[in-house]
Amino acid sequence: MARVGIVGASGYGGAELVRLLDGHPDLEVETLAAHSGAGTPVADLFPNLQGRGRFDAIDVDALGRLDLVFVATPDGPALDLVPDLVAAGTRVVDLSAAHRLPAEDYATFYGQAHPRPDDTPAVYGLTEFARDRVADATVVANPGCYVTTALLSLVPVASLLDLSTLVVDGKSGTSGAGRGVSDRMHVSHVTASITAYGVPGHRHTGEIEVHLGLLGEVDRPTITFTPHLVPMVRGLLTTSVARLADGVMGDDLRDALETRYADEPFVTVLPAGTQPVTKAVAGSNSAQVAVEVDDRTGRATLTSVTDNLVKGAAGQAVQNANMMLGLDERAGLPTVGTYP
C-alpha cells in the first residue's frame, strides 16, 4: 500500500481527491493538509466527507516521507512547496498551473517572470499522451481542465487541421473557479446566466498552444480561446472549430480519433451524429469526444466533455499517480458517470 498526502485538501480539487482515494485499493491517504484550514474538521467544509478528522498543518518533513504528494493549492504556494517536497524526497502531482508551461511562456501568459525557472522540470501529465514520461517523473504537472478537455479532441487530429484557423470555445461549471468567495460567483449572478471571461488572453490559451504543438507533433499554433461560466456546479464542454488541412477528408478525422482511442479506458469517441453531454461523465474520470465536418465550409467541429473536477483535475491526478507508482492506471477511478 503506497502512502500519499494531499496538500490543499480544503479546496474543491483536494476534496475530490479525498473522495476518489477513499475507494482506491492501493493508496492510503496519511495526511490532509491545508494552510488556512488547518485544524478545521473536514466535514465542516465538505459534509460528504464525514469521519475524516481535521485538516493538518503543512509539514514538509512529514510529507517528504510519503511515497507521493498531491499538491492542490493555488499557483503561488505550489511554486514554493513543490521544490521543497522534492528536496525532502517525495514525488509530486501538482494540480496547480505553476509548472505547466516553460518559463518563457509562463511570463507571456501569466504576466510575470517565472519565480523559479530552475526547478526540477515537470512532466506534463495529459496521461493518454505521456504514460512513459509520467511513470518516470519526479514532478507531474496536471493539465488544466479546459486544456485537458480540448486537447483530448484535438491532439489526434492536429496534423489534419489548418491550425491557423483554430478557435476553441469552453464552457465550465462554477466549481472550476474554486472554493474562494467572489462577487461574480454569487448565486444571484450565476443562476440563469452565462458569461465569457478572460477575454482575449486567458492563460489556458498558452497551455493549449504549447502542448497541442508538442503532443500533436506539429508547429505550435496561435489560437483563439474563450472560456465561459455556465450555471451548473460541475462539468466542462469544449467546442473547437478549424478548417481541414489541404487534401483531408472528413472521415480522416473520425478514423484518427477512433484509432487513437480504441483501447483507452477513459476516452470514448461517439458515433457520427451524436454529441456529448456533460452530465454523462459527471463524477467519472471519463471523457467523450465527437467530430463532425461541414462540407459546405470545409470546417471541422470537435466537441469534448469532462467532469472538470475529475478528469479535469483530481481524477487525472490519480491516474498520473497510478502510473508513477506502477499501479493499474484505472485503480480508484470510476468510468461511468452519474446520470441523470
Side-chain angles (χ1 to χ4, degrees):
M1 185 75 72
R3 300 158 58 236
V4 303
I6 303 169
V7 179
S10 59
Y12 287 154
E16 195 72 354
L17 280 167
V18 178
R19 182 182 75 86
L20 294 171
L21 293 174
D22 184 68
H24 200 293
D26 303 303
L27 299 183
E28 181 178 359
V29 179
E30 293 211 352
T31 183
L32 302 178
H35 177 60
S36 60
T40 303
V42 174
D44 280 8
L45 297 182
F46 301 105
N48 61 320
L49 300 178
Q50 296 290 332
R52 269 52 178 202
R54 298 175 182 270
F55 293 111
D56 302 316
I58 299 171
D59 182 337
V60 172
D61 290 337
L63 291 165
R65 292 191 287 271
L66 302 177
D67 296 298
L68 183 141
V69 174
F70 297 96
V71 173
T73 68
D75 302 350
L79 283 164
D80 294 328
L81 183 59
V82 170
D84 291 344
L85 290 172
V86 172
T90 192
R91 301 169 80 183
V92 176
V93 178
D94 181 11
L95 282 75
S96 83
H99 298 94
R100 293 174 186 163
L101 290 175
E104 60 273 19
D105 293 298
Y106 185 96
T108 298
F109 290 97
Y110 287 74
Q112 62 178 3
H114 196 289
R116 304 184 67 147
D118 298 323
D119 285 349
T120 300
V123 169
Y124 189 73
L126 188 65
T127 326
E128 284 74 11
F129 296 92
R131 287 189 174 96
D132 291 343
R133 297 189 298 279
V134 166
D136 294 333
T138 300
V139 178
V140 168
N142 220 51
C145 53
Y146 279 118
V147 186
T148 293
T149 312
L151 289 184
L152 287 174
S153 66
L154 289 169
V155 169
V157 299
S159 64
L160 304 177
L161 299 173
D162 177 356
L163 294 178
S164 68
T165 67
L166 178 61
V167 175
V168 180
D169 172 288
K171 296 179 174 65
S172 175
T174 58
S175 60
R179 200 172 60 83
V181 177
S182 68
D183 183 66
R184 74 183 181 93
M185 300 303 296
H186 192 288
V187 65
S188 298
H189 298 176
V190 174
T191 302
S193 182
I194 182 172
T195 185
Y197 64 98
V199 181
H202 191 278
R203 64 190 192 180
H204 279 176
T205 304
E207 194 180 336
I208 296 172
E209 291 180 355
V210 168
H211 295 291
L212 180 55
L214 292 172
L215 299 175
E217 299 181 347
V218 294
D219 291 340
R220 175 176 166 175
T222 300
I223 72 165
T224 297
F225 167 62
T226 305
H228 300 76
L229 186 69
V230 296
M232 61 186 185
V233 174
R234 64 167 74 206
L236 198 153
L237 165 74
T238 60
T239 302
S240 303
V241 179
R243 288 187 181 276
L244 300 178
D246 290 343
V248 173
M249 305 297 291
D251 288 345
D252 296 337
L253 275 71
R254 176 167 296 280
D255 290 345
L257 288 168
E258 290 179 345
T259 299
R260 179 60 185 80
Y261 291 129
D263 299 317
E264 289 292 346
F266 297 114
V267 184
T268 299
V269 181
L270 298 182
T274 305
Q275 288 297 311
V277 293
T278 56
K279 187 174 284 291
V281 297
S284 80
N285 197 53
S286 294
Q288 293 184 351
V289 175
V291 60
E292 298 292 342
V293 173
D294 186 342
D295 293 329
R296 184 181 66 86
T297 63
R299 293 187 179 93
T301 298
L302 295 118
T303 50
S304 181
V305 295
T306 62
D307 184 320
N308 58 293
L309 290 179
V310 190
K311 183 58 173 169
Q316 186 157 231
V318 173
Q319 191 178 351
N320 282 320
N322 287 339
M323 298 300 302
M324 297 169 77
L325 297 170
L327 306 174
D328 183 338
E329 181 179 344
R330 299 165 295 178
L333 293 171
T335 57
V336 178
T338 56
Y339 191 93

